[in-house]
């Protein structure tokens, strides 16, 4: 998939300036720093150094990507990409293409919501990375919508992702059936090269280290759990609240690792308090003193700067 650049050098400079200005103005979402994300091909006609600068400016310090996380045409050099480890949540899709480095530093990524999908199908799409041998998705617990694709033929050094219980990460059977995670030849290659999980990693792993085991948070839950749980024992006392996504640290709605719907002062809930309520004494809708606006996934008292109430 290739996008055309704007016509003329001046248009290109304005285009890149827009990228910088758009990405440095960050907002706060449930006490987490947000950024806007990227579109495919928006830096393909610039130099390697400028591409890195744009990427670092775009994602540095970002915890929630409100759009898509796109890492394409990343060169093998001594530049530091560890700033990507702060990303915890992606609202759109994750697209990795022509990635020339051995490691993909996404250690903090916990949930990919898939509100926008690549080619109307993929929430995670990884292709063309001959050196890539460690995706470092150690925290990934949920892909809310969309399928996952790891193109085996263009990832000859990658192992371990096929051992992970993706049916636990993906929310529906359709997502699982649509996903393509390596192939039989890749599995055989990994086994032949002794790239296997540590003995304590019974549900798969992200690397051969015993600290990089995959830990399920859905498949082994009690039948009484609505969505996720924080332990694989099957105990009903370890269920996450129904409003939790990607797991939890306790059973209360303020102990979720991410919210399925919205967060109100750090507590996950189905919807924000309405701005109006019905007053039976007055026979009409009146202003709700506890009402809040919905700002993406957060309940707020006032609209953030630059946004307007609908």
């Amino acid at each position: 998939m290739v996008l055309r650049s704007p016509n003329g050098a001046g248009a290109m400079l304005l285009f890149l300036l827009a990228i910088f200005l758009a990405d440095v103005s960050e907002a706060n979402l449930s006490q987490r720093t947000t950024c806007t994300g990227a579109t495919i091909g928006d830096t393909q006609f610039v130099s390697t150094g400028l591409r890195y600068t744009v990427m670092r400016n775009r994602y540095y310090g970002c915890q929630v990507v409100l759009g898509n996380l796109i890492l394409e045409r990343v060169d093998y050099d001594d530049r530091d990409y560890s700033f990507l480890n702060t990303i915890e949540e992606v609202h759109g899709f994750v697209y990795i293409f022509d990635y020339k480095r051995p490691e993909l530093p996404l250690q903090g990524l916990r949930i990919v919501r898939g509100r926008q999908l690549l080619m109307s199908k993929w929430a995670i799409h990884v292709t063309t990375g001959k050196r890539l041998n460690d995706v470092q998705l150690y925290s990934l617990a949920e892909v809310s919508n969309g399928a996952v694709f790891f193109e085996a033929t263009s990832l000859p050094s990658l192992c371990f992702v096929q051992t992970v219980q993706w049916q636990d990460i993906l929310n529906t059977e359709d997502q699982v059936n649509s996903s393509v995670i390596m192939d039989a030849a890749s599995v055989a290659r990994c086994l032949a090269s002794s790239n296997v999980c540590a003995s304590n990693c019974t549900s798969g792993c992200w690397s051969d280290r015993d600290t990089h085991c995959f830990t399920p948070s859905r498949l082994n839950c009690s039948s009484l759990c609505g969505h996720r749980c924080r332990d694989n024992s099957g105990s009903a006392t370890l269920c996450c609240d129904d409003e939790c996504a990607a797991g939890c640290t306790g059973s209360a709605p303020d102990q979720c690792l991410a919210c399925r719907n919205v967060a109100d002062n750090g507590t996950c809930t189905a919807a924000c308090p309405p701005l109006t309520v019905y007053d039976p004494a007055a026979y009409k809708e009146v202003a709700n003193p506890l009402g809040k606006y919905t700002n993406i996934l957060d309940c707020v008292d006032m609209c953030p700067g630059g946004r307007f109430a609908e």
Side-chain angles (χ1 to χ4, degrees), residues 13 43 56 81 84 99 112 164 193 196 207 214 229 233 241:
L13 289 173
T43 59
R56 191 176 188 278
Y81 286 84
L84 294 170
Y99 191 87
V112 179
V164 171
S193 58
V196 295
S207 80
F214 172 71
C229 59
S233 65
D241 187 86

Side-chain angles (χ1 to χ4, degrees), residues 275 293 303 307-310:
L275 297 174
Y293 297 97
C303 289
R307 297 184 181 179
F308 302 92
E310 294 183 349

Side-chain angles (χ1 to χ4, degrees), residues 21-36:
L21 294 178
D23 292 330
V24 294
S25 62
E26 299 174 344
N28 193 281
L29 181 65
S30 293
Q31 311 304 315
R32 292 184 298 169
T33 305
T34 68
C35 57
T36 57

Side-chain angles (χ1 to χ4, degrees), residues 276-286:
T276 61
V277 292
Y278 181 72
D279 183 351
Y283 299 102
K284 64 178 181 180
E285 293 280 329
V286 297

Side-chain angles (χ1 to χ4, degrees), residues 59-113:
Y59 297 121
Y60 187 87
C62 181
Q63 294 171 290
V64 179
V65 181
L66 298 178
N68 306 313
L69 173 59
I70 297 175
L71 306 175
E72 55 182 345
R73 297 175 179 85
V74 176
D75 289 337
Y76 182 52
D77 52 35
D78 58 359
R79 291 184 174 90
D80 181 13
Y81 286 84
S82 63
F83 58 86
L84 294 170
N85 283 320
T86 63
I87 297 173
E88 299 175 359
E89 184 174 323
V90 174
H91 284 203
F93 58 80
V94 176
Y95 178 58
I96 313 298
F97 170 72
D98 193 14
Y99 191 87
K100 299 180 177 67
R101 301 175 65 85
E103 73 291 326
L104 181 61
L106 293 175
Q107 298 180 25
L109 183 59
R110 185 174 293 140
I111 181 171
V112 179
R113 295 189 182 273

